[in-house]
Amino acid sequence: MAARVRAREGEFFYRFAGPGGDAPAMVHIHGFGISGSYLLPTAALLTDTFNTYVPDLPGYGRTPGPRKPLPIVDLADSVVRFMDSVGLERASLVGNSMGCPVIARAAERHPDRVERVIAVSPAGGLHNRPIGRGLAQLARDGLFEPPSLLTVAGPDYLKFGLISALRLFSEMTKSPTVTILQELDTPILLVIGSRDPLITSRERLASLAPALEPRGHVSVVWLNGPAHAINFSHPEELATVIRAYQADPSLAEASQLPGNAEVLVRARR
């Protein structure tokens, strides 16, 4: 993906590719302590159809920011500031890990700016608390991720710093991400990997169906095989799910989904 560098104070470093013109816009939002680089494998597969943006949020990667990490609500507002900076009135937002509570808050605070919310591995909530439990889950996840992820993520984590990472991870674990998503009216897709230690069990997710289905605006897809960083480890499967969802939020046509995908909840609108 082509890089457009805007990295002075108050501006963003981001990557962009797409057909241009009036193609639908999609913004990919990274997790805590890391830049948007690890999102590129999935984002790159969607650039034939979507004007695709992958920014580094303030204080991450190559975007300047305050010494103290911004809280999730401020990061959510920064997503909209980024959209303003590149002239996007509305966009679908794709988040991974902490990017999910960020885009959920963005949709909550700026509903007119968010077309759809696509939450991949939505971390945060009781399953990740207390922080020691969440950190142990994060450590276990490393056993399931491809080794090449470390070469992308390692430099970002070192730059972000251990203390900053712990502070933000603690805030993320306290964020009731799924509850926030349930309360939105924005169309939502949740994508969960079967080997993700940071996500509650498939049975628990399936038990949410009675609460989600009456709302009619949420789809939930379970992918057999991936762990937490699906955007990096399984880009073809994730891009296929995103395409199918963007074409039909009910995901009614099973042939459009990858073979390892199971739809736990289907949107009705």
Side-chain angles (χ1 to χ4, degrees):
M1 296 177 69
R4 293 185 178 179
V5 181
R6 304 178 65 198
R8 296 190 300 273
E9 192 66 34
E11 296 185 325
F12 294 83
F13 176 88
Y14 65 100
R15 307 109 181 133
F16 169 80
D22 59 357
M26 185 173 288
V27 181
H28 297 249
I29 301 299
H30 56 76
F32 86 98
I34 194 170
S35 74
S37 297
Y38 79 107
L39 303 177
L40 294 179
T42 294
L45 295 175
L46 297 165
T47 58
D48 60 333
T49 305
F50 303 95
N51 286 331
T52 305
Y53 300 80
V54 185
D56 292 348
L57 297 182
Y60 296 79
R62 286 180 273 183
T63 295
R67 181 169 298 178
K68 184 178 180 180
L70 292 175
I72 286 173
V73 168
D74 289 349
L75 290 172
D77 290 341
S78 78
V79 172
V80 176
R81 290 204 311 276
F82 168 73
M83 292 172 60
D84 290 339
S85 75
V86 295
L88 292 180
E89 185 62 31
R90 286 174 66 83
S92 292
L93 304 182
V94 182
N96 171 256
S97 191
M98 187 199 71
C100 296
V102 169
I103 66 175
R105 289 296 189 191
E108 177 186 58
R109 294 165 65 82
H110 309 277
D112 58 321
R113 307 297 300 276
V114 181
E115 193 76 36
R116 291 178 181 173
V117 166
I118 299 172
V120 183
S121 309
L126 288 173
H127 181 66
N128 303 137
R129 296 206 295 266
I131 187 172
R133 181 184 188 188
L135 289 172
Q137 293 165 344
L138 189 65
R140 287 202 304 276
D141 179 66
L143 301 175
F144 303 125
E145 301 292 357
S148 55
L149 178 60
L150 185 60
T151 65
V152 176
D156 287 338
Y157 284 128
L158 288 173
K159 181 179 178 181
F160 194 70
L162 178 60
I163 300 302
S164 294
L166 288 173
R167 286 174 178 166
L168 198 56
F169 189 83
S170 179
E171 183 188 357
M172 182 188 75
T173 64
K174 296 172 184 175
S175 178
T177 306
V178 173
T179 300
I180 297 168
L181 291 169
Q182 284 180 248
E183 294 173 351
L184 297 177
D185 287 325
T186 307
I188 296 165
L189 170 66
L190 304 182
V191 183
I192 313 298
S194 64
R195 295 200 294 173
D196 187 349
L198 282 87
I199 305 298
T200 189
S201 68
R202 181 192 179 285
E203 290 70 27
R204 169 62 179 147
L205 285 166
S207 75
L208 292 175
L212 295 172
E213 286 172 335
R215 299 295 307 278
H217 69 307
V218 181
S219 287
V220 181
V221 172
W222 182 263
L223 286 179
N224 289 304
H228 196 62
I230 301 174
N231 312 60
F232 184 86
S233 64
H234 290 71
E236 291 84 5
E237 291 96 326
L238 179 56
T240 299
V241 170
I242 291 173
R243 281 186 189 280
Y245 174 74
Q246 292 291 85
D248 175 14
S250 72
L251 297 170
E253 186 53 62
S255 64
Q256 301 301 313
L257 295 172
N260 63 337
E262 179 182 357
V263 181
L264 300 184
V265 179
R266 296 183 188 276
R268 291 183 283 102
R269 59 178 174 88

